[in-house]
Each structure stands twice: as structure tokens, then as C-alpha cells.
Amino acid sequence: MFKRGSGAAGDGFARILANTGWLLGGKGVGAVLSLAYLAIVTRTLGVADFGRFALVLSAANVIKALVSFDSWQIVVRYGQPHLAANDGDALNRVLRFCILIDLASAVAGGGIAAAIILFFGRALELGPGMGWQVWLFCMVMMITIRSSPTGILRLFDRFDSAAFAETMIPVGRMIGALVALALMPGITGFLIAWGFAELLCALSYWWLAFRVGRGRIGDWRAGRALDARAENPGIIGFLTATNLQTSLSSIGQQVAVLIVGAFVGPTGAGLYRLANQLANSLTKISSLLSRSIFVELSRTSSHGREALGALFRRTNRLALVVGAVIIGLILMIGHPLLGLIAGREFLPAYPLLLMLGVAACIDLIGVSYRPLLMATDRAGLSLRISFVSTLLLLGLQSALLPLYGTQGAAMANIAASLAGFTMMGLASRRAVTSGG
């Protein structure tokens, strides 16, 4: 039993490394390009206009996070049994069910975006005539939700294809930023560039998903999509938990920018977003590991507690080493990197970069916790912990911002990350010891 579990864990860990390697390859290209287009945007717009641009992006991302579902997790979690049973039609119904959810999300997001622009446009300091442009950008963000095709690629272990599709965002932004710089060097031009990149990425995902799934995802006319609810017990609860959890974690970060903007204005919001974006770029491996880990933990949970625990411990050790290395990189190259990319006027963001980088590395070290809870049918527990962490983040930001400005907001990130790490860690260890 022990040997079989260890073998399953070893195979799963090897696949995690391989799949993360593919994702990192794509993100490596993206990281280089993101530094270039970020330099173009910050130097073209300046601190104040970049702050307004950041507020628009954050508002759009808040709406997208609020209404979208991590349906790729549903495709992986409930598609695997159908794939193993060679039941392509049942898998297709799961996929169509997720597509319906994504379409409904897009419609809901468009309505929410219109309401926010109508009632809070002045608070965002959009300026005259910007409302329609921002709404159209939000709609592009909604219709390019690509979670369902992502699930197909991950279900079939085609992380290489997913990595290629993902590179279309930095490639599209780079192309768009250069065109905007030449023809329309303002907020509107860069919004068009970012929207173009989202469309390019979504089209790439769907094309690759259809190509990979051809002949293996069943008949598109086999039964009704809503039949997936009865065929997959627990799918609605899992769907709700993943939506709320994704919304909480994403909204916590994006609303943070809006809160900073409300307290200190667009300039402070721009500095905060730039530092947050650079910190997240340096810790991007966290989200990449999380995606690979969830797929493998979902598989390994059927091999018993020993295999699950062994894989969990290996991923924890890997995350700890990577987190320590990234903190060292932030300390060594963070300040010169900030000046090189954005210019001297953005150097006041360095303390924010340092603190937000530490918070992101804490999340990185605990990267296997949430996938473990999701893979062992403890999505509700994971959701409750995410809710507490997000509430703590926003509450601390509201309390510390008036006292310490943007640095208070960054301190709140560290405290919330530590709290979430502790709660997720305790829950995950309990899940392993009590069996998958």
C-alpha cells in the first residue's frame, strides 16, 4: 500500500513539475513582454493617468471576478470520471453546462458594469465621454471568459497548448501598446489594446480546445446541457463554492486598488497597482503551481490517504523553496527594476513592492492548500476561509489607509495573507490526516 501510494505521488509530482514547466515557459515570455508594455504605459500616461487607467482595469476585473465561475475546475473535477469511463457524451454535457454558466456570467457582468459606470463614474474620475469606452471594455472582458476551454486542455493534460494560448495576452498587449503609442497615446488607446489582447487569448483557447478535444468530447447534440446537474451529484454546490471563492480572492485584490483610490486618489492607486503588478509578476509561479496541483490532487485522491499526503508534502516543500528564492530576488532587484521599468517618478512605490511581494510569497508557500481542499470535496471549508481572509484584508485596509496611506494598505495584505495561510494550513493537514 505504501509503495503504491508513493508511486502515485511520485508520478503526480512529476506531472506537476512538467505541467508547471510548460506554463512557466509561456509565462516567461509573458513576463519579459509585460515589463516592456508596462514601461510604455507608465511612461506615456504618467502617474495620475496611469492611476485612472488602473482604476478602470480594477473595476473591470472586480466585475469579472464577481460574476465568473472557475468552470475549468468543474470540467476537470467532473469530467475525469466520464473520461475514464470513455463516456464522451456525458463529458460534453458537463462542458456545455459550463459554457452556459459562462454566457450567463457575461450578461450579468454587462449589467453590473453599466450600473457601476452610471452611479460611480465620477468617483472613478473617468472624465467626460469615458463611460461608454469603459463599458465596452468591460463587455470585452466578460465575453472573453475562457474558463471552459481551459478545463478541456487541462483535463487532457495539454498544458503546453494552454501555455501557448496564455501567451496571447502579453503578445496582444505588447502589439496593442505599440500601436496605441503611435496612434492613440492615451487611456482610450491602451484600453483598446488590452481588450484586443483578451479577444486574441480567448480565440486561441477555444481553437486549441476544439483541436485537442476533437473526437473525445462526445456529441454536441447528445442530451441537454442541464442534464449534467443530475448526472454529476454535487456539481451545483461545487460550482457555487468555486465561484464565490474565486470572486473573493480576486475581488480582495482588485477592490484594494479601488479603496486606495478612494482614500488617496488616482496617483496613490497607480503606485499601489504598479507595485502589486510587479510583485505578482515575480510570484506568478504561485497560480501556475495551483493549476497543476489541483489536477493532480484530484487524480491522486482516488489512490488513498498515503498517496495524497505524500504528494501534498512534496508540493509544500517545493513552494517553500520557491517562495524563499523570490523574496531574495525582490530584495536584490526590486528597486532597480522599478526604476528601469517605470521611471524615477514611480520609485516611491518600492516599499509597497517589498511588502506586497512578501504577502504574495506567503500565498505562494501555501499554494497547495486550496487545491487540496477542493480536490477532497471540502470546497465549502475553503470558501469560508477565503471569506474570512478577504473580509480581514478589506477591513484592515479601511482601518490602516487613513493612518499610514498606501503603506497601510500593503501592511493589510501581509496580515491577511498570514491569517489565510494559517487557516488553510490547519484545514489542509486535517484533510490529509482524516483521508481524502
Side-chain angles (χ1 to χ4, degrees), residues 197-214:
E198 294 289 335
L199 284 169
L200 185 62
C201 182
L203 290 172
S204 300
Y205 261 113
W206 278 111
W207 178 70
L208 289 167
F210 284 131
R211 183 179 176 185
V212 168
R214 185 184 298 126

Side-chain angles (χ1 to χ4, degrees), residues 13-31:
F13 188 69
R15 283 193 294 269
I16 287 174
L17 291 178
N19 291 334
T20 304
W22 279 114
L23 293 174
L24 272 176
K27 290 295 182 181
V29 174

Side-chain angles (χ1 to χ4, degrees), residues 237-250:
F238 189 88
L239 177 75
T240 304
T242 55
N243 166 254
L244 292 174
Q245 187 160 290
T246 301
S247 298
L248 285 171
S249 58
S250 299

